[in-house]
Amino acid sequence: MPLSFILDTDPGIDDAAAIAAALFSPELKLQLITTVAGNVSVEKTTRNALQLLHFWQADVPVAQGAATPLLRPLRDAAYVHGESGMEGYDFVDHQRQPLAKPAFIAIRDALMSAPEPLTLVAIGPLTNIALLLTQYPECKFNIRRLVIMGGSAGRGNFTPNAEFNIAIDPEAAERVFQSGIEIVMCGLDVTNQALLTPEYLATLPEVNQTGKMLHSLFSHYRSGSMGSGLRMHDLCAIAWLVRPELFTLRPCFVAVETQGTWTAGTTVVDIENRYERPENAQVALDLDVDGFRQWVAEVIALAP
């Protein structure tokens, strides 16, 4: 049976590739997409999610989520993804609309109506997940596990120590890591290894219409710097669902720093158990890069 799951996302160019894998991996069944402010505003991430679903003629409901972090103003990444969040491809007009309820309620409803616990995958800031766990704490018993793209056991990509998704809403991340739910953390330790080569990227337009669309987006990702390849950060969370054997995980205690001008958003990953605290996450520390690239090529080829 395919694994049923909910995807919380902030599309975003690399999110587009992750959504493709979420839809077309035969091992998966995507039940719901929820959007959050992150790479760009939540209005834009919602529009982008709906555009992608219309492109693929996919029948998956979308619920719009939090417009701002819990306690902070939004700092987006339009400088990476373009002003719209998905610059580079002209999507056709459509009449699709999000559900008439906010993301955290849509997630609650999906969890409570499912016949068995569902997996959540979050590849943006964790604001919606924190709201869910705060407003409906009973829902955590209906969550099989949470797989996130976020954090780092080493250096950051937004500040010297903090990864973008965690740094945008560290208070939300702190609540999630303290919640007691099972967490798989695919952070920069593995996502920085998830590099698609320039040679493969150049072949995408010949694969199918999805390849053409992704190549157009990638040509505008990080100002079109495909010459050295592209890191597919968000795809790692989907890859773990389908090919967990590609990842080396270690159970760790993870704390999220919410204070400090220079340190807010840092994930403190206690790999050597120096704090002697119970582990609260399975942290991915290494990746089979060749296996990852092979899986990406296979799943993109399965898309329309």
Short mmCIF file of all heavy atoms in Angstrom, two decimals, residues 107-150:
data_model
loop_
_atom_site.label_atom_id
_atom_site.label_comp_id
_atom_site.label_asym_id
_atom_site.label_seq_id
_atom_site.Cartn_x
_atom_site.Cartn_y
_atom_site.Cartn_z
N ILE A 107 -5.05 20.21 8.38
CA ILE A 107 -4.22 19.08 8.81
C ILE A 107 -4.92 18.32 9.92
O ILE A 107 -4.96 17.07 9.92
CB ILE A 107 -2.83 19.57 9.26
CG1 ILE A 107 -2.09 20.25 8.11
CG2 ILE A 107 -2.00 18.40 9.80
CD1 ILE A 107 -0.79 20.92 8.53
N ARG A 108 -5.48 19.05 10.89
CA ARG A 108 -6.21 18.39 11.98
C ARG A 108 -7.33 17.52 11.44
O ARG A 108 -7.48 16.35 11.84
CB ARG A 108 -6.78 19.47 12.92
CG ARG A 108 -7.46 18.96 14.21
CD ARG A 108 -8.92 18.54 14.05
NE ARG A 108 -9.74 19.53 13.41
CZ ARG A 108 -10.49 20.43 14.06
NH1 ARG A 108 -10.50 20.43 15.36
NH2 ARG A 108 -11.25 21.29 13.38
N ASP A 109 -8.11 18.06 10.51
CA ASP A 109 -9.23 17.30 9.96
C ASP A 109 -8.74 16.05 9.23
O ASP A 109 -9.35 14.97 9.35
CB ASP A 109 -10.05 18.18 9.02
CG ASP A 109 -10.78 19.30 9.76
OD1 ASP A 109 -10.83 19.25 11.00
OD2 ASP A 109 -11.28 20.21 9.08
N ALA A 110 -7.67 16.18 8.47
CA ALA A 110 -7.14 15.02 7.75
C ALA A 110 -6.61 13.96 8.70
O ALA A 110 -6.83 12.76 8.50
CB ALA A 110 -6.03 15.47 6.79
N LEU A 111 -5.93 14.39 9.75
CA LEU A 111 -5.40 13.45 10.73
C LEU A 111 -6.52 12.71 11.45
O LEU A 111 -6.47 11.48 11.62
CB LEU A 111 -4.54 14.18 11.76
CG LEU A 111 -3.19 14.72 11.29
CD1 LEU A 111 -2.57 15.60 12.37
CD2 LEU A 111 -2.24 13.58 10.93
N MET A 112 -7.55 13.45 11.88
CA MET A 112 -8.59 12.85 12.70
C MET A 112 -9.52 11.95 11.88
O MET A 112 -10.19 11.07 12.45
CB MET A 112 -9.39 13.95 13.40
CG MET A 112 -8.55 14.85 14.31
SD MET A 112 -7.52 13.96 15.52
CE MET A 112 -8.78 13.45 16.69
N SER A 113 -9.59 12.16 10.57
CA SER A 113 -10.47 11.33 9.74
C SER A 113 -9.75 10.16 9.10
O SER A 113 -10.40 9.29 8.50
CB SER A 113 -11.11 12.20 8.64
OG SER A 113 -10.12 12.73 7.78
N ALA A 114 -8.42 10.12 9.21
CA ALA A 114 -7.66 9.03 8.60
C ALA A 114 -7.85 7.74 9.39
O ALA A 114 -7.93 7.76 10.63
CB ALA A 114 -6.18 9.39 8.52
N PRO A 115 -7.89 6.60 8.71
CA PRO A 115 -8.08 5.33 9.42
C PRO A 115 -6.89 4.92 10.27
O PRO A 115 -7.03 4.09 11.16
CB PRO A 115 -8.33 4.33 8.29
CG PRO A 115 -7.72 4.95 7.08
CD PRO A 115 -7.87 6.43 7.25
N GLU A 116 -5.71 5.48 9.99
CA GLU A 116 -4.52 5.21 10.77
C GLU A 116 -3.64 6.46 10.77
O GLU A 116 -3.86 7.36 9.97
CB GLU A 116 -3.75 4.02 10.20
CG GLU A 116 -3.34 4.16 8.77
CD GLU A 116 -2.70 2.89 8.23
OE1 GLU A 116 -2.86 1.82 8.85
OE2 GLU A 116 -2.04 2.97 7.18
N PRO A 117 -2.68 6.54 11.68
CA PRO A 117 -1.85 7.76 11.75
C PRO A 117 -1.17 8.07 10.41
O PRO A 117 -0.75 7.17 9.68
CB PRO A 117 -0.83 7.40 12.83
CG PRO A 117 -1.54 6.43 13.72
CD PRO A 117 -2.38 5.61 12.79
N LEU A 118 -1.07 9.36 10.11
CA LEU A 118 -0.48 9.84 8.87
C LEU A 118 0.92 10.39 9.12
O LEU A 118 1.22 10.90 10.21
CB LEU A 118 -1.33 10.94 8.25
CG LEU A 118 -2.72 10.55 7.73
CD1 LEU A 118 -3.45 11.80 7.25
CD2 LEU A 118 -2.61 9.53 6.62
N THR A 119 1.73 10.33 8.09
CA THR A 119 3.04 10.98 8.11
C THR A 119 2.88 12.43 7.66
O THR A 119 2.15 12.72 6.70
CB THR A 119 4.01 10.23 7.16
OG1 THR A 119 4.22 8.92 7.68
CG2 THR A 119 5.34 10.96 7.05
N LEU A 120 3.55 13.33 8.35
CA LEU A 120 3.64 14.73 7.93
C LEU A 120 5.04 14.98 7.38
O LEU A 120 6.02 14.51 7.96
CB LEU A 120 3.39 15.69 9.09
CG LEU A 120 2.07 15.59 9.87
CD1 LEU A 120 1.99 16.71 10.90
CD2 LEU A 120 0.89 15.63 8.94
N VAL A 121 5.12 15.73 6.29
CA VAL A 121 6.39 16.14 5.73
C VAL A 121 6.37 17.66 5.64
O VAL A 121 5.46 18.24 5.03
CB VAL A 121 6.64 15.53 4.34
CG1 VAL A 121 7.97 16.01 3.77
CG2 VAL A 121 6.61 14.01 4.42
N ALA A 122 7.34 18.31 6.26
CA ALA A 122 7.41 19.77 6.27
C ALA A 122 8.72 20.21 5.64
O ALA A 122 9.79 19.87 6.15
CB ALA A 122 7.29 20.30 7.70
N ILE A 123 8.62 20.95 4.54
CA ILE A 123 9.82 21.39 3.82
C ILE A 123 9.92 22.91 3.77
O ILE A 123 10.62 23.47 2.92
CB ILE A 123 9.90 20.77 2.41
CG1 ILE A 123 8.66 21.08 1.58
CG2 ILE A 123 10.09 19.25 2.52
CD1 ILE A 123 8.74 20.55 0.14
N GLY A 124 9.23 23.57 4.68
CA GLY A 124 9.33 25.02 4.87
C GLY A 124 9.45 25.31 6.35
O GLY A 124 9.67 24.41 7.16
N PRO A 125 9.31 26.57 6.75
CA PRO A 125 9.25 26.88 8.18
C PRO A 125 8.14 26.09 8.87
O PRO A 125 7.13 25.74 8.25
CB PRO A 125 8.97 28.39 8.19
CG PRO A 125 9.54 28.88 6.89
CD PRO A 125 9.27 27.78 5.90
N LEU A 126 8.31 25.83 10.15
CA LEU A 126 7.43 24.90 10.86
C LEU A 126 6.24 25.57 11.54
O LEU A 126 5.64 25.02 12.45
CB LEU A 126 8.24 24.12 11.89
CG LEU A 126 9.25 23.13 11.28
CD1 LEU A 126 10.19 22.60 12.35
CD2 LEU A 126 8.54 21.99 10.58
N THR A 127 5.84 26.73 11.05
CA THR A 127 4.79 27.51 11.70
C THR A 127 3.47 26.75 11.74
O THR A 127 2.81 26.70 12.80
CB THR A 127 4.60 28.85 10.96
OG1 THR A 127 5.87 29.44 10.69
CG2 THR A 127 3.77 29.80 11.81
N ASN A 128 3.04 26.19 10.63
CA ASN A 128 1.76 25.48 10.61
C ASN A 128 1.77 24.28 11.55
O ASN A 128 0.75 23.99 12.22
CB ASN A 128 1.45 24.98 9.20
CG ASN A 128 1.09 26.09 8.24
OD1 ASN A 128 0.61 27.15 8.64
ND2 ASN A 128 1.32 25.86 6.96
N ILE A 129 2.88 23.58 11.61
CA ILE A 129 2.96 22.39 12.47
C ILE A 129 2.91 22.81 13.94
O ILE A 129 2.25 22.16 14.76
CB ILE A 129 4.24 21.58 12.18
CG1 ILE A 129 4.39 21.33 10.67
CG2 ILE A 129 4.22 20.28 12.95
CD1 ILE A 129 3.22 20.62 10.03
N ALA A 130 3.58 23.90 14.28
CA ALA A 130 3.53 24.40 15.65
C ALA A 130 2.12 24.83 16.03
O ALA A 130 1.65 24.57 17.16
CB ALA A 130 4.51 25.56 15.83
N LEU A 131 1.41 25.50 15.12
CA LEU A 131 0.03 25.90 15.40
C LEU A 131 -0.85 24.68 15.60
O LEU A 131 -1.69 24.66 16.52
CB LEU A 131 -0.50 26.75 14.24
CG LEU A 131 0.09 28.17 14.12
CD1 LEU A 131 -0.35 28.81 12.81
CD2 LEU A 131 -0.34 29.03 15.30
N LEU A 132 -0.67 23.67 14.78
CA LEU A 132 -1.45 22.44 14.94
C LEU A 132 -1.22 21.84 16.33
O LEU A 132 -2.19 21.50 17.04
CB LEU A 132 -1.03 21.44 13.86
CG LEU A 132 -1.57 20.02 14.03
CD1 LEU A 132 -3.03 19.95 13.62
CD2 LEU A 132 -0.74 19.01 13.23
N LEU A 133 0.04 21.70 16.72
CA LEU A 133 0.35 21.04 17.99
C LEU A 133 -0.06 21.88 19.19
O LEU A 133 -0.35 21.35 20.26
CB LEU A 133 1.85 20.73 18.04
CG LEU A 133 2.33 19.69 17.01
CD1 LEU A 133 3.85 19.64 16.99
CD2 LEU A 133 1.74 18.33 17.30
N THR A 134 -0.11 23.21 19.01
CA THR A 134 -0.53 24.10 20.09
C THR A 134 -2.04 24.10 20.25
O THR A 134 -2.57 24.01 21.37
CB THR A 134 -0.03 25.52 19.82
OG1 THR A 134 1.40 25.52 19.74
CG2 THR A 134 -0.46 26.47 20.94
N GLN A 135 -2.75 24.20 19.13
CA GLN A 135 -4.21 24.30 19.18
C GLN A 135 -4.89 22.94 19.37
O GLN A 135 -5.95 22.85 20.00
CB GLN A 135 -4.72 24.94 17.88
CG GLN A 135 -4.25 26.36 17.66
CD GLN A 135 -4.73 27.31 18.74
OE1 GLN A 135 -5.89 27.24 19.18
NE2 GLN A 135 -3.86 28.20 19.19
N TYR A 136 -4.28 21.90 18.82
CA TYR A 136 -4.88 20.56 18.88
C TYR A 136 -3.84 19.54 19.32
O TYR A 136 -3.44 18.66 18.55
CB TYR A 136 -5.46 20.17 17.51
CG TYR A 136 -6.49 21.14 16.99
CD1 TYR A 136 -6.20 21.99 15.92
CD2 TYR A 136 -7.75 21.24 17.58
CE1 TYR A 136 -7.14 22.88 15.44
CE2 TYR A 136 -8.69 22.14 17.12
CZ TYR A 136 -8.38 22.96 16.04
OH TYR A 136 -9.31 23.85 15.58
N PRO A 137 -3.38 19.62 20.56
CA PRO A 137 -2.31 18.72 21.00
C PRO A 137 -2.69 17.25 20.92
O PRO A 137 -1.82 16.39 20.79
CB PRO A 137 -2.05 19.15 22.45
CG PRO A 137 -3.28 19.90 22.86
CD PRO A 137 -3.81 20.55 21.63
N GLU A 138 -3.99 16.96 20.96
CA GLU A 138 -4.43 15.55 20.85
C GLU A 138 -4.09 14.96 19.49
O GLU A 138 -4.04 13.72 19.34
CB GLU A 138 -5.93 15.44 21.11
CG GLU A 138 -6.83 16.07 20.07
CD GLU A 138 -7.06 17.57 20.24
OE1 GLU A 138 -6.36 18.19 21.06
OE2 GLU A 138 -7.93 18.10 19.53
N CYS A 139 -3.84 15.82 18.50
CA CYS A 139 -3.55 15.32 17.15
C CYS A 139 -2.22 14.59 17.06
O CYS A 139 -2.02 13.81 16.12
CB CYS A 139 -3.52 16.49 16.16
SG CYS A 139 -5.14 16.99 15.58
N LYS A 140 -1.34 14.82 18.02
CA LYS A 140 -0.02 14.22 17.88
C LYS A 140 -0.08 12.69 17.93
O LYS A 140 0.80 12.02 17.40
CB LYS A 140 0.96 14.76 18.91
CG LYS A 140 0.77 14.30 20.32
CD LYS A 140 1.85 14.94 21.20
CE LYS A 140 1.82 14.41 22.61
NZ LYS A 140 2.90 15.02 23.43
N PHE A 141 -1.14 12.15 18.50
CA PHE A 141 -1.29 10.69 18.53
C PHE A 141 -1.73 10.15 17.18
O PHE A 141 -1.70 8.94 16.95
CB PHE A 141 -2.28 10.29 19.63
CG PHE A 141 -1.84 10.74 21.00
CD1 PHE A 141 -2.48 11.79 21.64
CD2 PHE A 141 -0.76 10.14 21.63
CE1 PHE A 141 -2.07 12.22 22.90
CE2 PHE A 141 -0.34 10.56 22.89
CZ PHE A 141 -1.00 11.62 23.51
N ASN A 142 -2.16 11.04 16.29
CA ASN A 142 -2.55 10.65 14.94
C ASN A 142 -1.45 10.93 13.92
O ASN A 142 -1.67 10.76 12.72
CB ASN A 142 -3.83 11.36 14.52
CG ASN A 142 -5.01 10.98 15.40
OD1 ASN A 142 -5.11 11.43 16.53
ND2 ASN A 142 -5.91 10.15 14.89
N ILE A 143 -0.29 11.35 14.40
CA ILE A 143 0.86 11.61 13.54
C ILE A 143 1.81 10.44 13.64
O ILE A 143 2.33 10.13 14.73
CB ILE A 143 1.58 12.91 13.93
CG1 ILE A 143 0.63 14.11 13.80
CG2 ILE A 143 2.83 13.12 13.07
CD1 ILE A 143 1.20 15.40 14.37
N ARG A 144 2.02 9.75 12.55
CA ARG A 144 2.95 8.62 12.54
C ARG A 144 4.36 9.11 12.79
O ARG A 144 5.10 8.58 13.61
CB ARG A 144 2.85 7.90 11.20
CG ARG A 144 3.76 6.67 11.08
CD ARG A 144 3.55 6.00 9.73
NE ARG A 144 4.41 4.83 9.59
CZ ARG A 144 4.47 4.07 8.50
NH1 ARG A 144 3.70 4.38 7.45
NH2 ARG A 144 5.26 3.04 8.45
N ARG A 145 4.77 10.11 12.03
CA ARG A 145 6.05 10.79 12.24
C ARG A 145 6.04 12.07 11.44
O ARG A 145 5.20 12.27 10.55
CB ARG A 145 7.24 9.92 11.83
CG ARG A 145 7.33 9.59 10.35
CD ARG A 145 8.65 8.93 10.00
NE ARG A 145 8.88 7.70 10.73
CZ ARG A 145 8.50 6.49 10.31
NH1 ARG A 145 7.86 6.36 9.17
NH2 ARG A 145 8.76 5.42 11.02
N LEU A 146 6.97 12.95 11.76
CA LEU A 146 7.18 14.19 11.03
C LEU A 146 8.57 14.14 10.40
O LEU A 146 9.56 13.94 11.10
CB LEU A 146 7.09 15.39 11.97
CG LEU A 146 7.51 16.75 11.39
CD1 LEU A 146 6.55 17.20 10.29
CD2 LEU A 146 7.59 17.81 12.50
N VAL A 147 8.62 14.29 9.08
CA VAL A 147 9.88 14.35 8.35
C VAL A 147 10.08 15.79 7.92
O VAL A 147 9.21 16.36 7.25
CB VAL A 147 9.88 13.41 7.13
CG1 VAL A 147 11.23 13.46 6.42
CG2 VAL A 147 9.53 11.99 7.55
N ILE A 148 11.19 16.39 8.30
CA ILE A 148 11.40 17.79 7.97
C ILE A 148 12.65 17.97 7.12
O ILE A 148 13.61 17.23 7.22
CB ILE A 148 11.50 18.68 9.23
CG1 ILE A 148 12.83 18.45 9.96
CG2 ILE A 148 10.33 18.48 10.15
CD1 ILE A 148 13.13 19.52 11.01
N MET A 149 12.61 18.96 6.23
CA MET A 149 13.83 19.51 5.66
C MET A 149 14.11 20.77 6.45
O MET A 149 13.39 21.75 6.35
CB MET A 149 13.62 19.83 4.17
CG MET A 149 14.93 20.22 3.43
SD MET A 149 15.35 21.98 3.60
CE MET A 149 16.92 21.79 4.47
N GLY A 150 15.17 20.71 7.24
CA GLY A 150 15.49 21.87 8.06
C GLY A 150 16.58 21.54 9.05
O GLY A 150 16.83 20.38 9.38
#
